[in-house]
C-alpha cells in the first residue's frame, strides 16, 4: 500500500460519529486526546490521552517528557524561592505518574499522591471526592504529617481539568486544615466548559488565595443533550449483540488530526467488535492515536506508530495466543539468577497453590530496588528519594534487559526457546519490542524503569502503559482509542472488595515481551491465578517478565499479611549496606596531560573502549530517540593548518580579555564564599573547592585555581565531574565530594552559558543532596543564566575552538549502563595518541601570563559586579525559544546560542545554519571557516543577543539537506 493511500484517523472519530461528541479547542488537542465509551452512569465518554501512558501504550520518553516540561513551567511561574517551598500533589490513580514527573521538573519539591488503598496505622491528612469517577474516594496518607501543613505553594496535578470539581474539593478540604496563599493547578489538558471557567477565579477570591493554571492544551467537549442515554444504549448494544448501530452516512469530522481517505464509516461489527466484555480480547494493533496511520495488512515485523499488526497466527483467532491456547493454571515463575526456567528457583508464594506443570513461563527479575526508597508517592517522595532512585535506575534497567534476553528474537538459523503456553517470539531482527506495564497507582516506578530501558537501548522499542480500574468499552476500529482489553481479577486485595481490572491496547500490540511491574502488596495468588494478569498477558505476548517493587509502609503501619517467598516483609528495613569504596580521582599524567595538582578527575578511564561514532549516525540516533548523546563520542575533530592558525591567533589576541574574566569570576567566588558557611566557621575552613563540569569547565577551573594561587596565595582543590543533560550530575562523584569536603565549599565551574540548560540540570540534580549550592560560576554568561560570572559579553574563548586537545586530551563524558555501574563514576577517554597536537598547556600558560597586567582592571570590575544586581535574567532562554519558533524547529535543544555552543555544533553535530550578529568581527573567524568547510550557510541577523547561534539540523536523517538544498557535509 502506498503511503498516500494509508488512512490517517483521529482516535475519537468513532465516538464522535455515533454520539455527536466533539473536541473543540487548540490545534494540538486531538493529537493529545482520543475518545472512548465507558460504563459509567455519570459520564458516557472517556477522554483517552495519547501521552499519559495509562490506556494507550506510548514511548516512556514522551510520557515523562510531558510531565517534566509542565514541572519546568511551574518552576518558572513560582520562581526559585517559592518552588523550594512547594509541595506537589497528584491524583490517583490516573495522574500519579504525571504528578511525579511534574515534581521532577520542579526538582526541589516533595511529592505526594492521593490513594484509594487505605493503610492500617497511617493517619489521614485529608480526603476528597471525585464526582464523575467510577471510584470516588481519595485518601491522603503522608508519612510526614506536616508535609501538607506548610505555607508554601501547593501544586495539584491531574491528567485533565474537566469541570474543576475535584480540584475545588481538594483545595476546600486542605485549605480548611492548612490555609496557604497560593495554589497551582496542572493538567495535560484544560477542558472546562464556559460555565466552569469562572468558578476557579471565584473560589480563589472566596478563600483569599491565588490559583494559577498550567496545561499543555485547552478546549471543551461539545456534548448533545441526550449523550448519556445514547451512550448507555450504544454500550449495551455493543456488549450484548457484538455490534454497534451504524452512524448516519457522512464524512468523518474534519480537523487537524481527523482525516482519512476511503469509506466514510467503519462500523464496529462482528466478533472483533464484541470484545468489550471478552476475556480473550481482539487481536489488533494497540490504539492508534490521532495522526498515525492504520495499515490493515502491514507486513509481518513492520513497525507501526503505536503497534504493528501481527500476521495471522501471532495472536489471531485460532492461534496459540488465542482463546484455544489460553493458559490453564498459575504460571511458573523463574527468578533471574536464582534458578533458571524450570529450575528449583521457581517462585511459589507461601501457603498458596502450587504451579501447574503446563502453565505459562514467567521470568521474575530481582530489580535490586534501593533500600528505603518508596515505590511511589502514596506516603510521600522527597528529592533525596529521587536522587537515590536515579542512581539505581541504570542497574535496575540492566537487570531487566538481562531478563529480556530470552525474549530477543533468534537470529536466522538459531533455535528459538520454547515457552509453555505462549508462542515463540516473532521473527524480527534485533532486540525485542517491549511493553513495560505498570499497575494502577504504581505508575512512576515502572515509567522511570521503562525510560531507562529506552535510553539505554535495552530493547528495540519500548512502550509504557498501566493496568486500571476504569471499565471502558473496547472497539476494534482505527477511529476508536481503546482497541482491545484484557480483563482479570483484582490482585491487591482492595479495600472495596474484589472486582475486575483491565489492561487496554496490550493484546495484539505486536509486543515481543511485556515487563509487568507490581508492588509487593499486589504480588498475590490472584496475580498468578489461571485467570490472573500474568496468565492473560502470557496468552497474548510471547514472553512475560515480572518485576516486584517492595511496597513502602511507613513506620508504625501494619505489616503485609502475605510475603512472597524469598522476599523481605514489605515494611522490613534492613541495616544499610556498606557501599563499595569509591576510587580516588584520576590525575595526570596517567589520565590527562594536566599536571597532577591541576585537577583530579572524578571519572573512570574508558580509554580502551571503542566509543566513537560518525557524526551523522550519532545525530540520527539522538534525534530519533534511539540513543542518548552521552552514550557515544563524536570522532575527534582534527583541525586543518588554517584552523590551527586561527586558534593561535585568537589566543594571542584574546588572552588578556580571558585573564580579566578569570580574575573577576575567581575574586567574586572568594569574596562571597564565606556567606555559604554557618556563623562561627573558622576562616581556614572556608576555602572554596572548585568542581568543574567536564569537559568545557575544566580549563576554566584550572585557570581559576592558578589565579587564586598567584594573586592570593590560596591553593584551592580542583576536581572535574560529569553532568549530562537529561541524566543529571554524577551522583557518585557528589558522594565522594561530600565524604572529602564540606558540600558548602563546593563551587561548580563551567566555561560559559548558552540558554541555561546545564544550570537547570544542576539545580534539579542537586535537589536530593544536602549542602551543595546549585549555582555555577562561569567565565562568560551571555545567556543571563547565572549570578557568578566574569562577563556577560559573548566573546570567543579559544578553549571552545578545539575539543580534547585544549582540555588535557580528555574526551567528553560518557554514561552508558553497560559501562557505568551503580557505584561507578561516569566515564571518559584519555587520547594519548593526540599528544603531538595538544595545546592544553599553551592555552593555560598564555592566559596566565596576562594575570599581572589585568590585575588593576579586575579589582575595579569586581567592585562594580559585587555592587550590581547580578540576578539571572534568562534572556538567553527567551531568545532561544523565539529562534526555535521563527525557524520552525520547535525544539530548543536544537538551538545552540553563543560562540562556544556554535563551535560545538560545527565540531560535533550536524549543523543546519549559523546565525551571526551583523558586524561581528574576528570572534567569528573560526566559525566562518568551520561553516565553509562543512557547507553550512552563515546568515547575518540584526536582533541577536549573542554573537552567533548554531542551529542543528531539525528532524535529521542521514542525507538530510541544508538550507540551500545541498546535503550537509560531514567530516
Amino acid at each position: 500500500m502506498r503511503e498516500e493511500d494509508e488512512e490517517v484517523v483521529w482516535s475519537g472519530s468513532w465516538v464522535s460519529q455515533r454520539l455527536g461528541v466533539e473536541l473543540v479547542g487548540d490545534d494540538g488537542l486531538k493529537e493529545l486526546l482520543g475518545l472512548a465509551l465507558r460504563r459509567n452512569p455519570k459520564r458516557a465518554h472517556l477522554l483517552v490521552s495519547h501521552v499519559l501512558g495509562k490506556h494507550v501504550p506510548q514511548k516512556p520518553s514522551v510520557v515523562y517528557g510531558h510531565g517534566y516540561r509542565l514541572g519546568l513551567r511551574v518552576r518558572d511561574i513560582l520562581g526559585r524561592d517559592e518552588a523550594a517551598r512547594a509541595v506537589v500533589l497528584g491524583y490517583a490513580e490516573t495522574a500519579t505518574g504525571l504528578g511525579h514527573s511534574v515534581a521532577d521538573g520542579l526538582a526541589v519539591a516533595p511529592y505526594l499522591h492521593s490513594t484509594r488503598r487505605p493503610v492500617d496505622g497511617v493517619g489521614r491528612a485529608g480526603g476528597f471526592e471525585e464526582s464523575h469517577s467510577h471510584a470516588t474516594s481519595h485518601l491522603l496518607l503522608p508519612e510526614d504529617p506536616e508535609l501538607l501543613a506548610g505555607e508554601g505553594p501547593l501544586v495539584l496535578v491531574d491528567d485533565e481539568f474537566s469541570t474543576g470539581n475535584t480540584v475545588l474539593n481538594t483545595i476546600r478540604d486542605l485549605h480548611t486544615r492548612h490555609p496557604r496563599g497560593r495554589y497551582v493547578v496542572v493538567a495535560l489538558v484544560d477542558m472546562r466548559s464556559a460555565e466552569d471557567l469562572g468558578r476557579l477565579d471565584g473560589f480563589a477570591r472566596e478563600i483569599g488565595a491565588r490559583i494559577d493554571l498550567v496545561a499543555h492544551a485547552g478546549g471543551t467537549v461539545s456534548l448533545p443533550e441526550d449523550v448519556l442515554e445514547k451512550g448507555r444504549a450504544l454500550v449495551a448494544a455493543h456488549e450484548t449483540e457484538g455490534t454497534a448501530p451504524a452512524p448516519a452516512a457522512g464524512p468523518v469530522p474534519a480537523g487537524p488530526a481527523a482525516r482519512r481517505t476511503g469509506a466514510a464509516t467503519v462500523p464496529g461489527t462482528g466478533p472483533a467488535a464484541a470484545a468489550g466484555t471478552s476475556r480473550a480480547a481482539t487481536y489488533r494493533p494497540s490504539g492508534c492515536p490521532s495522526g498515525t496511520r492504520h495499515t490493515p495488512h502491514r507486513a509481518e515485523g513492520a513497525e507501526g506508530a503505536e503497534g504493528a499488526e501481527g500476521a495471522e497466527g501471532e495472536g489471531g483467532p485460532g492461534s496459540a495466543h488465542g482463546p484455544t491456547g489460553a493458559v490453564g493454571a498459575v504460571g511458573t515463575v523463574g527468578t533471574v539468577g536464582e534458578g533458571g526456567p524450570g529450575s528449583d528457583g521457581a517462585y511459589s508464594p507461601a501457603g498458596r497453590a502450587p504451579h501447574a506443570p503446563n502453565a505459562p513461563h514467567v521470568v521474575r527479575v530481582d530489580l535490586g530496588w534501593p533500600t528505603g526508597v518508596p515505590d511511589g508517592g502514596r506516603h510521600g517522595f522527597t528529592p533525596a528519594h529521587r536522587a537515590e532512585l536515579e542512581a539505581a535506575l541504570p542497574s535496575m534497567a540492566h537487570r531487566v534487559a538481562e531478563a529480556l534476553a530470552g525474549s530477543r528474537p533468534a537470529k536466522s538459523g538459531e533455535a528459538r526457546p520454547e515457552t509453555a503456553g505462549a508462542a515463540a517470539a516473532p521473527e524480527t531482527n534485533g532486540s525485542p519490542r517491549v511493553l513495560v506495564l505498570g499497575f494502577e497507582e504504581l505508575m512512576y516506578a515502572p515509567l522511570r524503569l521503562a525510560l531507562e530501558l529506552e535510553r539505554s537501548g535495552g530493547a528495540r522499542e519500548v512502550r509504557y502503559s498501566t493496568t486500571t480500574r476504569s471499565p471502558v468499552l473496547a472497539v476494534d476500529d482505527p477511529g476508536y482509542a481503546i482497541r482491545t482489553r484484557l480483563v482479570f481479577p483484582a490482585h491487591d486485595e482492595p479495600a472495596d472488595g474484589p472486582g475486575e481490572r483491565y489492561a487496554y491496547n496490550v493484546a495484539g500490540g505486536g509486543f515481543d515481551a511485556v515487563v509487568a511491574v507490581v508492588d509487593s502488596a499486589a504480588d498475590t495468588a490472584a496475580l498468578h491465578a489461571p485467570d490472573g494478569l500474568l496468565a492473560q498477558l502470557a496468552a497474548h505476548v510471547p514472553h512475560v517478565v515480572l518485576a516486584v517493587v517492595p511496597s513502602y509502609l511507613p513506620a508504625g503501619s501494619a505489616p503485609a499479611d502475605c510475603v512472597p517467598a524469598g522476599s523481605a516483609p514489605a515494611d522490613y528495613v534492613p541495616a544499610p549496606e556498606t557501599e563499595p569504596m569509591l576510587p580516588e580521582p584520576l590525575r595526570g599524567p596517567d589520565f590527562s596531560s594536566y599536571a597532577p595538582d591541576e585537577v583530579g578527575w572524578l571519572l573512570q578511564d574508558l580509554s580502551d573502549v571503542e566509543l566513537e561514532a560518525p557524526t551523522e549516525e550519532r545525530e540520527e540516533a539522538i534525534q530519533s530517540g534511539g540513543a542518548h548523546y552521552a552514550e557515544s563520542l563524536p570522532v575527534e575533530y582534527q583541525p586543518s593548518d588554517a584552523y590551527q592558525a586561527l586558534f593561535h591567533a585568537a589566543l594571542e589576541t584574546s588572552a588578556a580579555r580571558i585573564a580579566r574574566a578569570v580574575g573577576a569570576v575567581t575574586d567574586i567566588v572568594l569574596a562571597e564564599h564565606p556567606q555559604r558557611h554557618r556563623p562561627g566557621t573558622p576562616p581556614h575552613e572556608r576555602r572554596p573547592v572548585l568542581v568543574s563540569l567536564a569537559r568545557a569547565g575544566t580549563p576554566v577551573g584550572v585557570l581559576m585555581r592558578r589565579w587564586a594561587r598567584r594573586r592570593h596565595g590560596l591553593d584551592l582543590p580542583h576536581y572535574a565531574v560529569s553532568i549530562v543533560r537529561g541524566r543529571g550530575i554524577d551522583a557518585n562523584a557528589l558522594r565522594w565530594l561530600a565524604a572529602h569536603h564540606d558540600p558548602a565549599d563546593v563551587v561548580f565551574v563551567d566555561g560559559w552559558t548558552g540558554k541555561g540548560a546545564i544550570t537547570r540540570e544542576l539545580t534539579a540534580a542537586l535537589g536530593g543532596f544536602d549542602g551543595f549550592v546549585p549555582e555555577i560560576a562561569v567565565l562568560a554568561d551571555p545567556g543571563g543564566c547565572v549570578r557568578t560570572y566574569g562577563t556577560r559579553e559573548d566573546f570567543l574563548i579559544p578553549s571552545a575552538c578545539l575539543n580534547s586537545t585544549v582540555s588535557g586530551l580528555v574526551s567528553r563524558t560518557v554514561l552508558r549502563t553497560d559501562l557505568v555501574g551503580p557505584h561507578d563514576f561516569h566515564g571518559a577517554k584519555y587520547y594519548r595518541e593526540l599528544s603531538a597536537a595538544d595545546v592544553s598547556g599553551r592555552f593555560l600558560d598564555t592566559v596566565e601570563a596576562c594575570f599581572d597586567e589585568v590585575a588593576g582592571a579586575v579589582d575595579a570590575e569586581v567592585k562594580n559586579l559585587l555592587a550590581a544586581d547580578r540576578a539571572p535574567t534568562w534572556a538567553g532562554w527567551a531568545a532561544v525559544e523565539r529562534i526555535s519558533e521563527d525557524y520552525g524547529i520547535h525544539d530548543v535543544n536544537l538551538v545552540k546560542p553563543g560562540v562556544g555552543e556554535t563551535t560545538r555544533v560545527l565540531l560535533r553535530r550536524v549543523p543546519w545554519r549559523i546565525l551571526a550578529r551583523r558586524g561581528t568581527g574576528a570572534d567569528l573567524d573560526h566559525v566562518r571557516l568551520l561553516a565553509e568547510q562543512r557547507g553550512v550557510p552563515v546568515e547575518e541577523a540584526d536582533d541577536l543577543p549573542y554573537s552567533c547561534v548554531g542551529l542543528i539540523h531539525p528532524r535529521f536523517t542521514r542525507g538530510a539537506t541544508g538550507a540551500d538544498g545541498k546535503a550537509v557535509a560531514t567530516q
Side-chain angles (χ1 to χ4, degrees):
M1 177 179 290
R2 296 176 304 170
E3 181 174 302
E4 58 267 28
D5 294 331
E6 294 179 346
E7 297 176 323
V8 180
V9 186
W10 174 47
S11 65
S13 59
W14 192 94
V15 173
S16 181
Q17 285 179 293
R18 287 158 177 78
L19 294 186
V21 177
E22 290 288 349
L23 298 188
V24 180
D26 294 345
D27 289 344
L29 195 59
K30 290 184 178 180
E31 300 293 334
L32 293 173
L33 297 174
L35 293 172
L37 298 178
R38 55 175 161 187
R39 290 180 277 131
N40 187 317
K42 300 178 182 180
R43 183 185 288 183
H45 70 281
L46 175 71
L47 297 176
V48 180
S49 173
H50 301 143
V51 300
L52 184 63
K54 191 65 179 175
H55 303 89
V56 178
Q58 179 57 275
K59 289 183 177 181
S61 55
V62 172
V63 176
Y64 186 73
H66 275 78
Y68 191 89
R69 287 192 293 274
L70 284 170
L72 293 178
R73 290 173 60 185
V74 173
R75 190 170 69 186
D76 288 342
I77 288 174
L78 291 178
R80 175 178 171 180
D81 292 340
E82 284 294 275
R85 302 172 62 229
V87 176
V88 181
L89 175 63
Y91 287 91
E93 70 180 23
T94 305
T96 59
L98 175 65
H100 215 142
S101 302
V102 169
D104 283 357
L106 202 58
V108 292
Y111 175 64
L112 176 75
H113 70 68
S114 65
T115 180
R116 295 191 176 102
R117 180 193 289 178
V119 178
D120 292 340
V122 181
R124 289 178 50 178
F128 49 91
E129 296 295 313
E130 186 176 4
S131 58
H132 65 265
S133 174
H134 63 283
T136 59
S137 296
H138 289 248
L139 304 173
L140 297 177
L141 306 176
E143 180 175 20
D144 178 5
E146 298 301 310
L147 180 64
L148 297 173
E151 296 180 353
L154 182 62
V155 181
L156 304 104
V157 184
D158 209 350
D159 58 317
E160 63 176 271
F161 194 34
S162 50
T163 64
N165 289 336
T166 302
V167 167
L168 295 181
N169 289 338
T170 309
I171 296 177
R172 182 176 286 110
D173 177 83
L174 294 177
H175 197 79
T176 301
R177 301 166 188 259
H178 306 291
R180 65 187 72 224
R182 190 166 189 183
Y183 298 87
V184 181
V185 179
V186 182
L188 288 171
V189 291
D190 177 9
M191 300 300 292
R192 288 175 296 167
S193 64
E195 62 185 33
D196 288 327
L197 285 175
R199 294 177 61 211
L200 196 63
D201 291 338
F203 180 72
R205 290 191 296 270
E206 175 188 330
I207 65 173
R210 174 178 174 177
I211 304 179
D212 296 300
L213 177 66
V214 178
H216 273 308
T220 58
V221 182
S222 175
L223 301 172
E225 293 183 356
D226 56 352
V227 66
L228 281 175
E229 180 181 348
K230 282 186 175 181
R232 284 194 293 266
L234 188 58
V235 170
H238 206 77
E239 289 184 336
T240 58
E241 300 177 8
T243 183
V252 174
R259 60 189 186 275
R260 69 166 159 188
T261 60
T265 62
V266 183
T269 59
T277 58
S278 172
R279 289 183 185 272
T282 53
Y283 315 99
R284 297 297 182 196
S286 55
C288 301
S290 59
T292 63
R293 295 183 174 86
H294 173 66
T295 311
H297 302 290
R298 188 181 300 276
E300 180 180 348
E303 295 183 19
E306 279 298 324
E309 180 166 6
E312 185 147 349
E314 295 181 15
S319 74
H321 292 185
T324 59
V327 298
V330 180
T332 300
V333 182
T335 304
V336 174
E338 298 179 7
S343 74
D344 294 336
Y347 168 78
S348 179
R352 300 173 195 172
H355 302 300
N358 296 322
H361 175 71
V362 177
V363 174
R364 173 183 289 268
V365 59
D366 178 9
L367 290 175
W369 186 264
T371 300
V373 174
D375 53 297
R378 181 180 287 111
H379 304 298
F381 198 97
T382 67
H385 289 143
R386 177 192 177 215
E388 292 183 65
L389 178 61
E390 296 273 9
L393 276 170
S395 175
M396 291 193 289
H398 182 66
R399 293 182 182 215
V400 171
E402 287 184 333
L404 289 169
S407 66
R408 295 180 185 275
K411 298 178 181 179
S412 177
E414 179 180 337
R416 307 176 70 81
E418 295 297 325
T419 303
E427 291 284 349
T428 56
N429 293 321
S431 54
R433 185 172 191 265
V434 175
L435 171 68
V436 177
L437 184 69
F439 160 65
E440 296 186 24
E441 294 177 10
L442 185 71
M443 296 186 70
Y444 181 74
L447 172 59
R448 294 307 310 273
L449 194 62
L451 181 63
E452 192 65 30
L453 197 64
E454 179 185 24
R455 286 173 169 173
S456 66
R460 171 169 57 93
E461 185 176 345
V462 181
R463 289 291 188 270
Y464 161 81
S465 64
T466 77
T467 65
T468 177
R469 288 169 163 246
S470 181
V472 186
L473 183 72
V475 178
D476 184 25
D477 188 282
Y480 191 85
I482 303 297
R483 303 295 298 279
T484 70
R485 74 174 185 175
L486 300 179
V487 185
F488 52 92
H491 53 89
D492 62 339
E493 301 177 358
D496 57 355
E500 291 183 340
R501 299 294 186 262
Y502 313 93
Y504 295 113
N505 295 322
V506 176
F511 298 109
D512 303 304
V514 59
V515 180
V517 184
V518 303
D519 58 12
S520 55
D523 187 18
T524 62
L527 175 68
H528 301 264
D531 60 345
L533 172 61
L534 296 179
Q536 291 290 341
L537 293 173
H540 300 288
V541 181
H543 300 273
V544 178
V545 174
L546 174 64
V548 179
V549 177
S551 298
Y552 181 82
L553 292 179
S557 57
D561 293 330
C562 299
V563 179
S567 299
D571 62 345
Y572 172 69
V573 180
E577 295 182 6
T578 302
E579 292 187 353
M581 183 177 295
L582 292 168
E584 288 301 299
L586 301 172
R587 295 185 182 273
D590 295 329
F591 187 86
S592 87
S593 60
Y594 291 130
D597 63 331
E598 297 271 32
V599 59
W601 302 85
L602 294 175
L603 298 169
Q604 63 166 312
D605 189 354
L606 299 179
S607 300
D608 296 331
V609 182
E610 187 67 32
L611 293 169
E612 290 77 12
T615 304
E616 285 191 321
E617 290 184 11
R618 293 185 76 248
E619 191 66 42
E620 184 174 21
I622 292 168
Q623 291 199 33
S624 69
H628 190 276
Y629 76 89
E631 293 173 355
S632 64
L633 294 174
V635 177
E636 281 287 306
Y637 171 71
Q638 298 302 305
S640 64
D641 291 342
Y643 189 82
Q644 286 180 320
L646 273 178
F647 166 79
H648 290 291
L651 177 59
E652 295 298 328
T653 58
S654 64
R657 185 160 53 164
I658 297 167
R660 182 171 171 175
V662 167
V665 70
T666 307
D667 282 0
I668 289 174
V669 167
L670 294 173
E672 295 186 338
H673 185 72
Q675 301 172 15
R676 297 181 174 215
H677 284 275
R678 296 183 301 274
T681 303
H684 69 276
E685 296 180 6
R686 300 177 183 175
R687 183 178 56 168
V689 176
L690 304 179
V691 177
S692 297
L693 302 180
R695 161 179 72 181
T698 311
V700 178
V702 174
L703 285 171
M704 291 177 66
R705 184 178 181 279
R706 288 189 178 189
W707 177 276
R709 184 179 56 192
R710 183 169 182 141
R711 299 292 305 165
H712 304 288
L714 295 175
D715 190 11
L716 303 184
H718 177 218
Y719 306 96
V721 302
S722 169
I723 187 169
V724 177
R725 181 170 53 81
R727 302 284 182 89
I729 199 167
D730 188 337
N732 288 319
L734 291 183
R735 292 189 183 97
W736 190 95
L737 289 167
H740 292 79
H741 301 280
D742 186 337
D745 284 329
V746 170
V747 177
F748 295 98
V749 174
D750 208 354
W752 58 85
T753 67
K755 53 182 176 287
I758 291 299
T759 304
R760 292 171 182 256
E761 191 75 44
L762 181 69
T763 301
L766 292 178
F769 292 89
D770 293 336
F772 291 98
V773 179
E775 295 181 356
I776 305 178
V778 300
L779 274 192
D781 180 37
C785 307
V786 300
R787 63 178 305 276
T788 304
Y789 53 85
T791 180
R792 278 189 167 156
E793 295 179 22
D794 183 21
F795 71 95
L796 171 61
I797 301 173
S799 61
C801 290
L802 300 170
N803 288 325
S804 68
T805 53
V806 78
S807 304
L809 299 181
V810 175
S811 74
R812 65 163 305 131
T813 59
V814 174
L815 178 56
R816 216 170 73 188
T817 55
D818 59 330
L819 300 173
V820 179
H823 302 294
D824 294 332
F825 293 138
H826 294 187
K829 299 182 73 168
Y830 173 27
Y831 291 116
R832 299 170 177 83
E833 65 274 17
L834 299 180
S835 59
D838 187 22
V839 293
S840 304
R842 169 78 180 274
F843 170 71
L844 297 173
D845 293 343
T846 303
V847 174
E848 185 181 14
C850 299
F851 282 176
D852 292 341
E853 70 177 78
V854 301
V858 168
D859 290 342
E861 183 75 10
V862 170
K863 183 178 180 180
N864 291 334
L865 286 172
L866 290 173
D869 179 7
R870 292 178 283 121
T873 64
W874 295 100
W877 186 271
V880 166
E881 288 183 325
R882 174 180 58 79
I883 293 169
S884 175
E885 296 305 310
D886 288 350
Y887 282 84
I889 296 174
H890 309 301
D891 184 352
V892 293
N893 289 325
L894 301 182
V895 180
K896 303 296 185 181
V899 179
E901 293 301 306
T902 301
T903 305
R904 286 181 170 185
V905 170
L906 289 163
L907 294 178
R908 305 179 189 171
R909 303 294 292 270
V910 176
W912 184 34
R913 63 181 76 183
I914 305 300
L915 310 180
R917 188 166 58 201
R918 194 178 305 278
T920 305
D923 277 343
L924 297 189
D925 285 349
H926 75 292
V927 168
R928 294 188 179 96
L929 178 60
L930 283 174
E932 180 183 357
Q933 291 175 347
R934 300 203 60 184
V936 180
V938 178
E939 301 178 7
E940 291 199 335
D942 294 315
D943 56 349
L944 286 182
Y946 301 93
S947 296
C948 59
V949 176
L951 305 183
I952 296 173
H953 202 296
R955 294 172 295 279
F956 175 79
T957 56
R958 276 169 281 184
T961 56
D964 59 354
K966 297 178 180 178
V968 174
T970 304
Q971 296 194 357

